[in-house]
Amino acid sequence: MPPAVAGFTTSGDFTVGTKPRSIAIGNLNGDDHLDMAVVNSFSDNVSILLGTTEGSFGPATNFTTSPFPMSVSIGDLNGDGASDLVVGNGVMGLNTSVDVLTGTGTGSFGPPTSFDTGTTDPWQVVLGNFTGDGSLDIATASRFGAIAVLPGTGSGTFLAATTYPVGAYLTSIAAGDLNGDSRADLVAADADSDKVGVLLADGAGSFDSVVDYAVGHYPTSVAVGNLNGDAYPDVVVVDGFDDNASILLNAGTGVFGPRTTVATGDNSTSVAIGDLNQDTRADLAVTNRDEDTVAVLAGDGTGSFGEAADIPTGSQPAFVAIGNLNLDDLPDLAVATGDGEVSVFAVDPPAAPVLKAKIGKVKLKGSTKARRGKKSTYTVIITNSGQAAATGVTIKVRGKGIGAKVSVGTIRPAETTKAKVKFWPKKSGKVKVAFKITSKNAGNRTVTKNLTVKK
């Protein structure tokens, strides 16, 4: 694989199954490292990659799913403290259920248990507390246009699904509290109508009717996150046939303004939100299938984004996820490619700040009167206002008939030192005396004193 662009380091390529379609990041075995679950649509399984050190992963362990798995989510579905998996399946109208794989807490999973959704090809899944009872529920998006919500019991089983008509061809689903009522709402992308549908939770375990918002042609992936720093979750959708992303900013009530767009790349397939350049603003990562890249778009904190910076990937990247995979407290990228691999790109840590020393405030203490040929003594008070030690500090005194030099040495950062300067004036009269403080690395500063020298 080609090297990553500046700002990212390629951590490695990890073999999974055939045609990986979705990645979920979480702690699957209870250690200190994040792990990955990757569904493989052509090998009908989910690959588990357990994290080791510095963003590396052990060999994949595969667990069988129903045919054509297309998405995966991680959550503790039975309250035992171990992570479980939910897998969305289905292509060509051959499936109506989702799979639940119960975790052991060691990174291993039991056989799939299927739960009917009442929809055909529920291929996209997301977890959330949609009914407000504290248990995780499953929401699915169907290839044939409906959302299904399966209420969780808290014991790993699910009640009968409730379905909501949303569109004709749903390609992605995401969840978030869009109107600030502490309830999880839903957003789904409809590639047939070039819209996203928003369903707000009604507080009674159900959802209001869908509200549609126009986006670009053939939206393929939707994500929810705060894009403009106002504390309200916004929506971003990649428009696969327009090679851009649509940004929908939230008014704070779950109502969204008209879209703005930003260019992404050729045939964009997936989008994720995270602060990828450590400036506290939300950025975007977008996979571009026909360019074999993942594009990073830096956010400016207002909901606008800069030009895409492309990171070369393997062939036909299908999905991108963001997580702290190497325990450096910085977000990394995981990209599923058509090569049957997940490529990990670590965000480079910010460069260490360059600490500088600086001669700051200088004060003089001493008399304004002197006698010719007699000793005059001044106290020079010097402050290093910088963040590094000031080295080679000296004081040079110059004036008509006056000269002296004193070595001060080193002044530590943010500290003040005092030095005594002595000189013997050679001429009488009014003399302007310059005290010049110099340093090898902290610049210089000059202060003056008007001196009356008597015979």
Side-chain angles (χ1 to χ4, degrees), residues 52 61 79 148-149 176 191 228 234 254 273 311 332 347 368 400 417 430 450 455:
T52 55
T61 304
V149 176
N228 61 353
D234 308 302
I273 299 172
I311 302 173
D332 308 304
V347 174
T368 59
K400 186 172 66 173
T417 192
K430 294 187 179 295
N450 292 319
K455 295 181 180 180

Side-chain angles (χ1 to χ4, degrees), residues 267-289:
N267 194 1
S268 299
T269 55
S270 173
V271 61
I273 299 172
D275 180 11
L276 299 175
N277 57 2
Q278 300 97 59
D279 65 353
T280 73
R281 303 181 180 105
D283 310 309
L284 304 179
V286 179
T287 50
N288 299 310
R289 186 179 187 275

Side-chain angles (χ1 to χ4, degrees), residues 72-219:
V72 59
S73 289
I74 296 173
D76 181 7
L77 303 177
N78 57 3
D80 65 354
S83 294
D84 309 305
L85 304 179
V86 178
V87 177
N89 312 288
V91 177
M92 304 301 291
L94 300 178
N95 181 55
T96 63
S97 63
V98 292
D99 289 341
V100 171
L101 287 76
T102 302
T104 64
T106 64
S108 184
F109 294 85
T113 301
S114 295
F115 292 90
D116 191 77
T117 67
T119 64
T120 303
D121 286 351
W123 58 350
Q124 302 298 316
V125 297
V126 67
L127 289 171
N129 182 17
F130 304 119
T131 57
D133 64 355
S135 297
L136 283 178
D137 312 307
I138 300 173
T140 70
S142 163
R143 194 170 70 92
F144 290 91
I147 283 178
V149 176
L150 291 79
T153 63
S155 61
T157 61
F158 294 84
L159 303 179
T162 301
T163 60
Y164 302 89
V166 174
Y169 187 77
L170 303 186
T171 55
S172 181
I173 189 170
D177 180 10
L178 302 179
N179 58 356
D181 63 357
S182 300
R183 302 183 182 98
D185 309 303
L186 293 170
V187 184
D190 182 6
D192 187 71
S193 65
D194 298 336
K195 296 178 181 178
V196 291
V198 173
L199 288 85
L200 299 179
D202 66 2
S206 187
F207 290 85
D208 295 335
S209 298
V210 64
V211 178
D212 290 327
Y213 295 89
V215 291
H217 188 34
Y218 203 83

Side-chain angles (χ1 to χ4, degrees), residues 5 17 25 136 163 379 453:
V5 298
I25 295 174
L136 283 178
T163 60
T379 301
V453 181

